[in-house]
Amino acid sequence: MINSIFLYLDPGSGSYLIQMIIAAVLGALFYFKHIWWKVKAFFFKSKKKDANGETES
């Protein structure tokens, strides 16, 4: 006896799959960019400026 599995993908399934892949990639990029900003901020502290635009010591 041969077991057959028939799959059907309607036209909307392909575009939905592409949309999910793009969303996952962009979400991952945003996540790692956010982590990179935190790491960069930890190592490179920015100098605060006072009201006159001069850096504080």
Side-chain angles (χ1 to χ4, degrees):
M1 186 164 110
I2 298 175
N3 292 332
S4 298
I5 298 175
F6 297 103
L7 298 177
Y8 173 74
L9 296 175
D10 61 350
S13 298
S15 63
Y16 183 67
L17 181 63
I18 292 171
Q19 180 182 355
M20 287 183 3
I21 291 170
I22 291 171
V25 168
L26 291 177
L29 288 175
F30 179 77
Y31 175 75
F32 288 117
K33 183 177 180 181
H34 183 72
I35 296 297
W36 175 249
W37 282 348
K38 284 188 174 189
V39 169
K40 189 176 175 182
F42 178 76
F43 288 109
F44 302 105
K45 302 284 184 184
S46 63
K47 296 179 181 177
K48 294 186 179 183
K49 294 184 179 182
D50 62 3
N52 296 330
E54 298 174 359
T55 57
E56 296 179 359
S57 300

